[in-house]
Amino acid sequence: MAQNQFQDFLKPSDSLDISRRNAVVISESIAISGALVGLNQLWYSDYEKSSFHFKNDNAHWLQMDKAGHVYSSYHIGRFGAELLDWSGVSKKDQLIYGATTGFVFLTAVEILDGYSSEWGFSWGDVAANASGTALYVSQELLWKEQRIVPKFSFHQTPYAKARPDVLGASFSEEILKDYNGQTYWLSANIHSFFKESKIPKWLNVAVGYGGEGMITANDELVNTIFLPEKERTRQFYLSLDVDLTKINTNSHFLKTLFSIFNSVKVPAPTLEFRELGGVKWHFVYF
C-alpha cells in the first residue's frame, strides 16, 4: 500500500491539482530566494562591492562558461516545467512560468555579478541563459517533446593543480570550476526524427564541445607564468548516448530518476577533433 501511494504521488496529475501547484510555487520561491541569499553571503562577500557595472567576458574561457549557462538555464527550466506538469498545470503555463525559471534565476545571479567589483553584468551570459530557455520552449512548441537535450560530462585534468584557488582544490570543486575537464553536449534522439524506423527509442547521437590549456580567463598569463608548454585549444566530439527518458518503464520513481540523470552524458566511445589539428579515438570518454 505504501509503495502504491508513493507511485501515485510521483504520477503527474491529469488535471490541475491546486495543492501540488501551490507546493511547487512555494518550494521554488524558497529555493531560489535561499540560493540567492546564500550566494550573496557565501560567495560575493569574499569580493568588494561596487556600483552596478557591465563586463564583456565573451572571449573568456574559450566560451566554456557560456556553454554552462545554456546548459543550466535549459535544465533548471526543464525541471520547473516538469514540476508544473506533475501538478496538472496547462502546457501553456508550464512554458510561461516553469520553463523560464532558469532564465529568471540566472539573470538574478547576473545582477549580483553587476554589483561585484570582481565580476560584472555580462550580456553574453544573459544571451546564453536566453538560449537555454529558448532551446527547451522551441522544441515543446515545434515537436511537443525534447529531441535535443544539452548534457554534461567531466574528467579530471592536471590544470587544477596549477591553480587550485581558481580551478578547484577538490574533486567536487573541480567539477564546477575546471573548464578544462568539462564537456558540454547536444544529445539528439535519433528515433524522434525517424518515427517509423526500427532504431531503438533510447539511442542518441551527441556532439560535444570542450577546451583545455585554460589556467586564466584570457591568454595573457598562460604562456608566461603557469604552463608554457600548453596552448589553449578547443575540442569537438562525436559520440553515442542514451536518452534515459525513452527507456520504457511503468515505475514513476524510475521515470523521475531517469529525468534527473538525463542531464548527464553517458560515457561511450567517442571521436575527438582538435582545433589545432588531429583526431583522437576514446574507447570510453567521460
Side-chain angles (χ1 to χ4, degrees), residues 152 154 167 171-179 182:
F152 174 84
F154 177 80
L167 302 180
F171 180 75
S172 59
E173 287 187 355
E174 290 173 29
I175 291 176
L176 297 174
K177 295 182 177 182
D178 186 6
Y179 292 119
Q182 297 176 1

Side-chain angles (χ1 to χ4, degrees), residues 184-200:
Y184 290 98
W185 305 82
L186 286 177
S187 182
N189 184 254
I190 305 173
H191 186 272
S192 296
F193 290 96
F194 304 97
K195 297 288 189 180
E196 303 303 321
S197 71
K198 295 183 179 180
I199 298 172

Side-chain angles (χ1 to χ4, degrees), residues 119-253:
W119 315 109
F121 186 96
S122 167
W123 283 113
D125 288 351
V126 173
N129 297 339
S131 298
T133 299
L135 179 60
Y136 180 88
V137 173
S138 61
Q139 292 187 81
E140 289 296 322
L141 294 176
L142 182 62
W143 297 316
K144 295 182 173 58
E145 64 178 347
Q146 296 297 300
R147 298 184 179 183
I148 303 171
V149 177
K151 294 196 176 185
F152 174 84
S153 64
F154 177 80
H155 60 273
Q156 286 187 291
T157 74
Y159 299 98
K161 294 181 180 178
R163 206 177 180 201
D165 57 319
V166 172
L167 302 180
S170 65
F171 180 75
S172 59
E173 287 187 355
E174 290 173 29
I175 291 176
L176 297 174
K177 295 182 177 182
D178 186 6
Y179 292 119
N180 301 280
Q182 297 176 1
T183 306
Y184 290 98
W185 305 82
L186 286 177
S187 182
N189 184 254
I190 305 173
H191 186 272
S192 296
F193 290 96
F194 304 97
K195 297 288 189 180
E196 303 303 321
S197 71
K198 295 183 179 180
I199 298 172
K201 293 182 179 181
W202 48 263
L203 182 62
N204 280 23
V205 62
V207 177
Y209 174 69
E212 67 175 29
M214 296 175 287
I215 304 297
T216 64
N218 295 309
D219 291 323
E220 292 87 2
L221 300 177
V222 176
N223 295 326
T224 59
I225 297 178
F226 296 106
L227 296 176
E229 75 281 3
K230 294 294 183 179
E231 188 171 357
R232 298 160 74 89
T233 179
R234 296 175 173 84
Q235 293 97 33
F236 304 91
Y237 302 92
L238 180 64
S239 182
L240 296 176
D241 189 30
V242 175
D243 187 336
L244 298 177
T245 66
K246 295 296 193 296
I247 297 176
N248 190 28
T249 177
N250 292 323
S251 169
H252 291 288
F253 173 71

Side-chain angles (χ1 to χ4, degrees), residues 49-164:
K49 297 290 185 181
S50 70
S51 58
F52 187 83
H53 63 287
F54 296 90
K55 183 176 184 179
N56 184 353
D57 61 354
N58 293 334
H60 292 184
W61 301 111
L62 296 178
Q63 295 79 49
M64 286 296 293
D65 58 325
K66 301 298 180 283
H69 277 267
V70 172
Y71 170 87
S72 300
S73 180
Y74 174 94
H75 283 291
I76 294 174
R78 177 174 72 87
F79 292 141
E82 289 180 354
L83 283 171
L84 290 180
D85 179 57
W86 171 76
S87 307
V89 173
S90 68
K91 175 62 71 173
K92 177 182 177 181
D93 287 345
Q94 289 175 36
L95 298 181
I96 294 175
Y97 302 109
T100 57
T101 305
F103 178 79
V104 171
F105 171 71
L106 292 174
T107 300
V109 174
E110 204 62 41
I111 292 173
L112 293 178
D113 280 352
Y115 286 101
S116 173
S117 60
E118 181 72 12
W119 315 109
F121 186 96
S122 167
W123 283 113
D125 288 351
V126 173
N129 297 339
S131 298
T133 299
L135 179 60
Y136 180 88
V137 173
S138 61
Q139 292 187 81
E140 289 296 322
L141 294 176
L142 182 62
W143 297 316
K144 295 182 173 58
E145 64 178 347
Q146 296 297 300
R147 298 184 179 183
I148 303 171
V149 177
K151 294 196 176 185
F152 174 84
S153 64
F154 177 80
H155 60 273
Q156 286 187 291
T157 74
Y159 299 98
K161 294 181 180 178
R163 206 177 180 201

